């Protein structure tokens, strides 16, 4: 792999994993090394084809600011500096940096002066994402200015002879037009990397690393059946096999047949040889939820009960050395934990049990994005039905049944939801909608079926289009599909005589109803 990999030196920037992702998208392996472990010996030992310096919140000229051994510039290896990394490069090579008269944040028009280097794909005036208070006021010897803005005389600079490139803006974010092409040009044209890296190489590397770390010890995974924890299960099954125990708690609030589907893949009859513990705790949850109608109280009750069940199972297993979880990169961002995440609340179960005795957490997906996790799941042989599963909240159907949860209502919503999903799939719409489900309202209305009066529940259908789930619009599902779903639900699901389609965007609504 040597000579075809990129070393990313992390100075504490916000978008570092995005840089790694952009490099992976080129089919090239990359690793992120924190600046304080990136001494010159470690850098040389990595034997990179190119080095990228990330952004960071500090001022490179201040004492104690994150830095790098200047010998890095004598290795004959191309370097790309981004934001703080660009300023650090300028500073170490004899240019001048300082506080900019005007800071630039967000969308900025950058005037491209020279497209002979990594900016060849740029528009003459290229929209870039800026986030800086310091700037390069004078380039080091040997550099030419390749881009500027009204406020920033050196928005990009290059010393093509020595292979040093610097951009003040962030090419790794989507908001920078052609940004990924700039990174691609550095990685492929300048560093000359082979595009030989694939997701299966990631799996192999992770499996090796996990094996080495875990040795003969035991690993515990709380398996929810969602994409992330399922992919971790498949990865760990390959890495440590029987040393892994997966605890799958069926809280009785899963979608129709979901518990059986998860058990079929990870249980004794599935392709993975691992200890799979399925805990059927539905009644226990229904008992605890009886009489509770307030959404937050429901969520808390479900979360707490989950932990209790999980704790009991963990105790039965005995001492656990490692606890694995399916944390992915957006979870880390959303929790505001950055690279220093050590022990975080499990985003699906609402917090780790206090007294499960484990030495360390294993989070093999922490540098991946959702679509990459899906790709990895496919590489590991997980069925498409699991891999392409849409997000499902930890509290499950508990927050899709308005008001009190009962076993009967769970059955109604499971059946209605299964019909909805089936019809959406039949209409070829499944891949076009970000998330969709049926919920049970706590409203009963009068209807007529046959010649009889009915007084039954109303089901609400929800479907949203979103990329980040922070904002969303209702999906524009063709009317004939909605009508088919309505007809089937009222005909096939007992105690439902009315179906609504929820048109609300987020905000003001949320994706889930509770
Ligand atoms: P909301 O309802 O907040 O949902 O607009 C945004 C996304 O988050 C999911 N969601 C959850 N996921 N535990 C989870 O793991 C939860 O408690 C939870 N609540 C909401 C929701 O399904 C949607 O994808």
């Amino acid at each position: 792999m040597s000579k075809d990999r990129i070393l990313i030196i992390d100075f504490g920037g916000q978008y570092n994993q995005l840089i790694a992702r952009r490099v992976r998208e080129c089919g090239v392996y990359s690793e992120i090394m924190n600046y304080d472990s990136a001494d010159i010996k470690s850098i040389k030992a990595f034997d990179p084809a190119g080095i990228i310096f990330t952004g960071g919140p500090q001022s490179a000229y201040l004492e104690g600011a994150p830095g790098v051994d200047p010998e890095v510039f004598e290795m004959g290896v191309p370097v790309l500096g981004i934001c703080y990394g660009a300023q650090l490069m300028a500073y170490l090579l004899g240019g001048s940096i300082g506080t900019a008269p005007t800071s630039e944040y967000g969308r900025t028009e950058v005037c491209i002066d020279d497209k002979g280097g990594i900016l060849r794909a740029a528009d003459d005036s290229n929209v870039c994402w800026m986030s800086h208070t310091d700037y390069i006021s004078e380039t080091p010897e040997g550099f030419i200015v390749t881009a500027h803005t009204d406020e920033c005389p050196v928005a990009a600079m290059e010393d093509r002879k020595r292979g040093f490139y610097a951009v003040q803006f962030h090419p790794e974010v989507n908001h920078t037009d052609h940004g990924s092409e700039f990174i691609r040009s550095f990685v492929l044209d300048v560093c000359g990397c082979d595009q030989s890296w694939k997701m299966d190489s990631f799996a192999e590397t992770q499996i090796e690393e996990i094996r080495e770390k875990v040795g003969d010890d035991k690993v515990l995974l709380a398996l929810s059946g969602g994409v992330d924890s399922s992919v971790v299960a498949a990865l760990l099954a390959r890495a440590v096999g029987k040393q892994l125990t997966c605890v799958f708690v069926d809280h009785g609030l899963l979608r129709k047949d979901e518990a059986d589907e998860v058990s079929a893949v990870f249980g004794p009859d599935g392709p993975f040889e691992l200890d799979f513990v399925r805990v059927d705790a539905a009644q226990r949850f229904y008992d605890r939820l009886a009489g509770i109608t307030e959404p937050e109280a429901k969520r808390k009750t479900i979360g707490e009960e989950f932990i209790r069940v999980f704790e009991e199972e963990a105790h039965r297993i005995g001492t656990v050395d490692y606890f694995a979880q399916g944390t992915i990169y957006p979870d880390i961002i959303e929790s505001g934990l950055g690279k220093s995440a050590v022990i975080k609340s499990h985003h699906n179960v609402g917090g780790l049990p206090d007294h499960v005795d484990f030495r360390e957490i294993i989070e093999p997906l922490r540098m991946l994005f959702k679509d990459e996790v899906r790709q990895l799941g496919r590489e590991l042989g997980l069925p498409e039905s699991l891999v392409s599963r849409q997000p499902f909240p930890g509290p499950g159907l508990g927050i899709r049944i308005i008001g009190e949860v009962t076993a009967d209502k769970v059955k109604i919503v499971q059946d209605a939801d299964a019909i909805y999903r089936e019809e959406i799939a039949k209409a070829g719409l499944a891949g076009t909608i970000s998330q969709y489900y049926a919920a049970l309202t706590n409203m009963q209305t009068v209807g007529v079926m046959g010649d009889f009066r009915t007084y039954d529940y109303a089901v609400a259908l929800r479907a949203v289009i979103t990329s980040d789930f922070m904002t969303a619009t209702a999906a524009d599902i063709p009317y004939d599909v909605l009508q088919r779903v309505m007809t089937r639900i009222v005909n096939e699901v007992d105690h439902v005589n009315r179906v609504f389609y929820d048109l609300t965007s987020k905000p003001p609504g949320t994706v889930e109803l509770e």
Side-chain angles (χ1 to χ4, degrees):
M1 205 190 283
S2 89
K3 270 299 164 204
D4 282 318
R5 53 195 200 165
I6 298 288
L7 177 65
I8 298 170
I9 302 185
D10 180 358
F11 295 104
Q14 280 181 56
Y15 311 118
N16 300 344
Q17 291 293 349
L18 267 180
I19 302 173
R21 180 187 175 133
R22 297 289 168 246
V23 176
R24 290 200 291 275
E25 282 170 353
C26 301
V28 174
Y29 180 73
S30 71
E31 252 180 52
I32 300 181
M33 202 183 273
N34 199 17
Y35 78 92
D36 53 13
S37 4
D39 52 78
I40 196 71
K41 214 168 132 216
S42 310
I43 297 175
K44 284 183 176 165
F46 188 85
D47 193 18
I51 298 172
I52 299 179
F53 294 168
T54 75
Q58 312 257 16
S59 290
Y61 49 83
L62 293 182
E63 223 184 288
V68 65
D69 192 325
E71 207 185 318
V72 75
F73 298 112
E74 283 151 35
M75 288 171 55
V77 171
V79 182
L80 168 64
I82 295 175
C83 195
Y84 178 88
Q87 293 158 15
L88 182 68
M89 179 188 284
Y91 183 67
L92 293 176
L93 291 173
S96 300
I97 59 174
T99 308
T102 311
S103 304
E104 289 173 306
Y105 292 108
R107 191 192 144 87
T108 309
E109 293 279 348
V110 173
C111 185
I112 307 296
D113 302 306
D114 188 320
K115 296 189 192 176
I118 63 168
L119 304 182
R120 70 189 51 153
D123 302 321
D124 293 342
S125 174
N126 201 83
V127 172
C128 295
W129 192 258
M130 288 279 201
S131 182
H132 69 116
T133 47
D134 287 346
Y135 76 148
I136 302 167
S137 49
E138 222 175 285
T139 59
E141 223 181 286
F143 280 80
I144 54 164
V145 173
T146 51
H148 71 276
T149 71
D150 291 346
E151 313 295 342
C152 182
V154 187
M157 63 175 192
E158 299 182 354
D159 177 344
R160 289 172 201 153
K161 216 160 139 209
R162 289 191 289 173
F164 300 150
Y165 296 78
V167 287
Q168 182 55 66
F169 53 85
H170 287 273
E172 68 274 27
V173 304
N174 275 333
H175 310 282
T176 292
D177 287 351
H178 308 292
S180 49
E181 290 160 88
F182 304 156
I183 292 177
R184 194 176 182 82
S185 177
F186 175 73
V187 169
L188 301 184
D189 306 337
V190 177
C191 304
C193 289
D194 237 21
Q195 295 176 272
S196 52
W197 186 83
K198 289 200 224 72
M199 206 33 113
D200 56 358
S201 333
F202 176 87
E204 290 313 316
T205 317
Q206 286 295 318
I207 287 169
E208 277 304 306
E209 277 178 18
I210 293 167
R211 264 189 204 143
E212 209 169 293
K213 178 187 267 195
V214 169
D216 297 327
D217 293 336
K218 283 204 250 172
V219 186
L220 183 71
L221 171 71
L223 179 68
S224 70
V227 182
D228 306 337
S229 64
S230 296
V231 171
V232 174
L235 199 62
L236 287 171
R238 291 274 169 86
V240 296
K242 281 281 180 194
Q243 290 155 254
L244 169 69
T245 306
C246 293
V247 178
F248 170 60
V249 178
D250 175 4
H251 53 17
L253 303 166
L254 297 169
R255 286 164 289 194
K256 190 174 184 177
D257 300 330
E258 189 163 15
D260 291 339
E261 280 166 24
V262 173
S263 304
V265 176
F266 294 106
D269 301 329
F272 300 104
E273 279 194 23
L274 41 79
D275 268 333
F276 174 80
V277 180
R278 170 174 168 170
V279 189
D280 287 309
Q283 195 53 51
R284 189 171 160 165
F285 277 82
Y286 300 154
D287 290 346
R288 286 280 282 116
L289 286 167
I292 305 178
T293 54
E294 203 278 319
E296 274 311 297
K298 280 163 71 178
R299 278 175 171 274
K300 266 185 117 170
T301 304
I302 296 167
E304 275 168 22
E305 199 58 17
F306 190 97
I307 301 299
R308 298 285 89 83
V309 175
F310 186 74
E311 269 174 350
E312 287 168 20
E313 289 310 312
H315 268 278
R316 246 190 276 282
I317 292 157
T319 306
V320 176
D321 305 284
Y322 293 92
F323 184 89
Q325 56 179 3
T327 314
I328 68 171
Y329 186 56
D331 298 335
I332 293 173
I333 298 259
E334 276 160 29
S335 320
L337 289 171
K339 64 183 162 53
S340 60
V342 186
I343 297 177
K344 74 190 274 285
S345 303
H346 194 296
H347 63 284
N348 256 337
V349 301
L352 289 173
D354 293 337
H355 63 269
V356 175
D357 204 9
F358 56 86
R359 208 187 307 153
E360 219 180 298
I361 293 187
I362 299 178
E363 294 176 318
L365 311 181
R366 68 198 312 279
M367 63 187 265
L368 300 187
F369 291 78
K370 196 77 170 190
D371 56 324
E372 293 181 304
V373 174
R374 292 191 206 276
Q375 206 183 321
L376 179 61
R378 288 183 190 108
E379 293 286 348
L380 291 166
L382 286 177
E384 192 58 35
S385 58
L386 257 185
V387 170
S388 58
R389 177 163 284 184
Q390 50 176 308
F392 187 64
L397 301 180
I399 55 171
R400 292 180 180 174
I401 293 169
I402 312 297
E404 187 183 12
V405 175
T406 64
D408 290 345
K409 288 185 184 173
V410 169
K411 171 93 173 71
I412 294 174
V413 79
Q414 279 179 336
D415 289 345
D417 184 67
I419 290 170
Y420 188 29
R421 282 191 284 144
E422 205 180 301
E423 289 301 327
I424 290 287
K426 262 199 237 159
L429 297 171
T432 66
I433 306 172
S434 314
Q435 196 171 356
Y436 54 98
Y437 63 85
L440 189 65
T441 72
N442 56 351
M443 174 171 61
Q444 282 175 288
T445 65
V446 173
V448 56
M449 277 172 130
D451 287 328
F452 294 102
R453 175 188 191 269
T454 58
Y455 185 58
D456 274 328
Y457 284 107
V459 158
L461 303 177
R462 182 90 169 119
V464 294
I465 306 288
T466 172
S467 58
D468 57 9
F469 294 90
M470 307 295 284
T471 57
T473 50
D476 187 5
I477 298 178
Y479 195 63
D480 61 316
V481 178
L482 285 174
Q483 273 208 312
R484 219 166 21 247
V485 176
M486 178 277 294
T487 307
R488 281 197 58 196
I489 289 177
V490 293
N491 284 341
E492 296 174 36
V493 184
D494 284 344
H495 306 296
V496 177
N497 66 355
R498 208 173 278 270
V499 176
F500 292 104
Y501 185 65
D502 184 353
L503 286 174
T504 322
S505 59
K506 174 183 179 176
T510 52
V511 175
E512 304 293 344
L513 298 192
E514 286 195 336

